[in-house]
Amino acid sequence: MGSTLGEIRHNEETYYDFGTKYTTYSGEGFSFAYPESWKSVDTSQMNAPSIKAAFSDQSSSVTFADNMNLTIEASSTGSINPEEYANNIVDYYTQSGSSIGISDYKKTSYTNKPYKEYSAGVLEGAYKHSSGTDVILVQYLIPTNTELYTMTLTYAKDTYNQDEIKDILDSLSITTSLEQTAPTATTGNSSATASAADFFNELTPYITEDTAFMEQASYDFFGKHNDVFPAITAELSKKVQGLVDSNVTTRHLNKNVANYYDQFVQVSGEVISVEEDSSLGATFSIVHVMDENGNDIIALYPATTGDLLDGDYATVIGAPITNFSFENVGGGYTNATLIGASLVVAD
């Protein structure tokens, strides 16, 4: 749509928030707030029908104008994992950004920020604009099975206002129906739900160097709870947290892990190491966590862990698979419990 400021005035509402004066723009199926001093941009001149509304600060005499826009575009993959989209954006800007005026792009952070009960996230990066301006780029990504909603805020580094950005992101309201359903995996000409049980079963010998294998009781439990591996939406995250047996500790797992094949457990501690692997066609992670009692957990997680790094602290929720030992770099062996992780969250 290519609305001018006069044409959209009837869809606006002005209000103040902590000294900043905002106006609410209401489009078809969505609304959001923007600084009242900003002006509407005629999107019909952009040759980009996915841009549904755009505003910029045209009051400044500097060469770069702070701006924002909301896009709604068809999803090419059907993925509902916002971090996958964030990683694709980072790859594109890093490799081809200079062709669209984005030079020396660097990702600075990715944060999960659910929209209501839907999985969503915020990607932040920095780049050099063609005008020579250092720019901060913030993108709020809300994927559905068919579309990707993206609110993009672009500020010169000198005018970057974190509180203002938070206000605008929090103001976004989508009134159309959203759907986030985990995609299915296809084999040949038939479709079947991707099996968490098969994933963990196949990788258990690899992780344990063929010293341990998944038991049938464990396999059946993963099959029963396939939908929460991984728990990539806010709704699934809440669901799996409610299934945790808080009475089970690493000491119980060390004593006899077979007693807990049919239970969700939670372990928190320092991240000793975190590795990601995409050799199977989709990213999975191997996270080594040591809890406060010095007990070791190896979490096999069928997704990326985002910005989680060695030395961070994290909470792992999942189901135990087996106890095993591995050779450590200092000599000797470390006893550990392998967990099929549903959720890995940085503390």
Side-chain angles (χ1 to χ4, degrees):
M1 58 182 289
S3 300
T4 66
L5 185 62
E7 291 170 334
I8 66 173
R9 179 64 66 183
H10 65 283
N11 285 331
E12 296 176 343
E13 176 184 354
T14 301
Y15 65 96
Y16 291 87
D17 189 8
F18 299 105
T20 301
K21 194 173 185 179
Y22 293 98
T23 294
T24 298
Y25 171 74
S26 296
E28 186 176 344
F30 65 89
S31 65
F32 57 80
Y34 65 93
E36 191 200 36
S37 62
W38 289 18
K39 304 299 182 183
S40 175
V41 176
D42 186 356
T43 58
S44 66
Q45 304 301 312
M46 297 179 178
N47 194 30
S50 63
I51 301 177
K52 304 304 179 183
F55 297 87
S56 67
D57 182 3
Q58 302 171 24
S59 62
S60 176
S61 60
V62 297
T63 55
F64 181 86
D66 297 340
N67 63 87
M68 66 175 294
N69 65 67
L70 179 77
T71 61
I72 305 174
E73 53 193 321
S75 170
S76 59
T77 65
S79 171
I80 56 172
N81 186 343
E83 193 164 6
E84 286 186 19
Y85 288 97
N87 291 336
N88 290 338
I89 290 170
V90 171
D91 289 343
Y92 175 72
Y93 287 156
T94 302
Q95 299 170 16
S96 307
S98 57
S99 65
I100 56 173
I102 297 178
S103 299
D104 303 324
Y105 177 86
K106 288 182 175 58
K107 171 187 172 184
T108 54
S109 68
Y110 172 82
T111 307
N112 286 318
K113 179 180 172 62
Y115 173 75
K116 297 182 178 178
E117 71 270 28
Y118 302 102
S119 181
V122 176
L123 171 66
E124 183 169 316
Y127 69 91
K128 179 78 72 173
H129 186 257
S130 55
S131 65
T133 306
D134 290 322
V135 171
I136 306 296
L137 179 63
V138 179
Q139 293 169 285
Y140 189 17
L141 306 166
I142 306 173
T144 74
N145 290 116
T146 57
E147 295 173 317
L148 173 65
Y149 289 74
T150 305
M151 174 174 276
T152 300
L153 307 176
T154 312
Y155 281 69
K157 185 177 180 180
D158 292 342
T159 57
Y160 174 77
N161 185 324
Q162 194 169 32
D163 290 337
E164 185 170 288
I165 287 175
K166 183 179 184 303
D167 288 342
I168 295 172
L169 296 184
D170 289 345
S171 75
L172 178 62
S173 176
I174 301 172
T175 56
T176 56
S177 177
L178 302 181
E179 182 179 357
Q180 286 188 338
T181 303
T184 57
T186 58
T187 303
N189 294 323
S190 62
S191 296
T193 303
S195 170
D198 288 336
F199 170 78
F200 292 124
N201 184 48
E202 291 175 8
L203 286 181
T204 294
Y206 167 73
I207 299 297
T208 65
E209 297 182 343
D210 292 325
T211 62
F213 301 88
M214 178 181 283
E215 298 293 339
Q216 186 65 45
S218 181
Y219 183 92
D220 292 344
F221 185 76
F222 284 111
K224 180 180 178 181
H225 297 281
N226 186 75
D227 62 322
V228 295
F229 290 95
I232 58 174
T233 69
E235 183 179 5
L236 290 176
S237 175
K238 182 178 180 181
K239 175 181 177 179
V240 76
Q241 290 178 58
L243 295 173
V244 170
D245 186 341
S246 59
N247 294 316
V248 180
T249 68
T250 52
R251 292 186 300 163
H252 294 89
L253 300 178
N254 289 340
K255 182 178 179 180
N256 189 351
V257 70
N259 289 336
Y260 308 101
Y261 286 152
D262 60 351
Q263 296 180 44
F264 283 96
V265 300
Q266 177 174 308
V267 178
S268 298
E270 182 180 0
V271 177
I272 306 303
S273 65
V274 55
E275 303 174 33
E276 293 189 348
D277 191 314
S278 300
S279 61
L280 300 180
T283 300
F284 68 91
S285 304
I286 304 169
V287 186
H288 179 181
V289 173
M290 180 184 290
D291 72 4
E292 60 182 3
N293 297 314
N295 294 318
D296 294 86
I297 292 292
I298 306 298
L300 182 55
Y301 182 52
T304 175
T305 57
D307 294 330
L308 190 69
L309 298 172
D310 299 358
D312 292 343
Y313 285 81
T315 294
V316 173
I317 294 177
I321 298 173
T322 187
N323 287 338
F324 71 107
S325 299
F326 60 89
E327 190 172 1
N328 56 55
V329 294
Y333 288 83
T334 296
N335 296 322
T337 300
L338 178 65
I339 285 181
S342 168
L343 196 62
V344 178
V345 181
D347 293 338

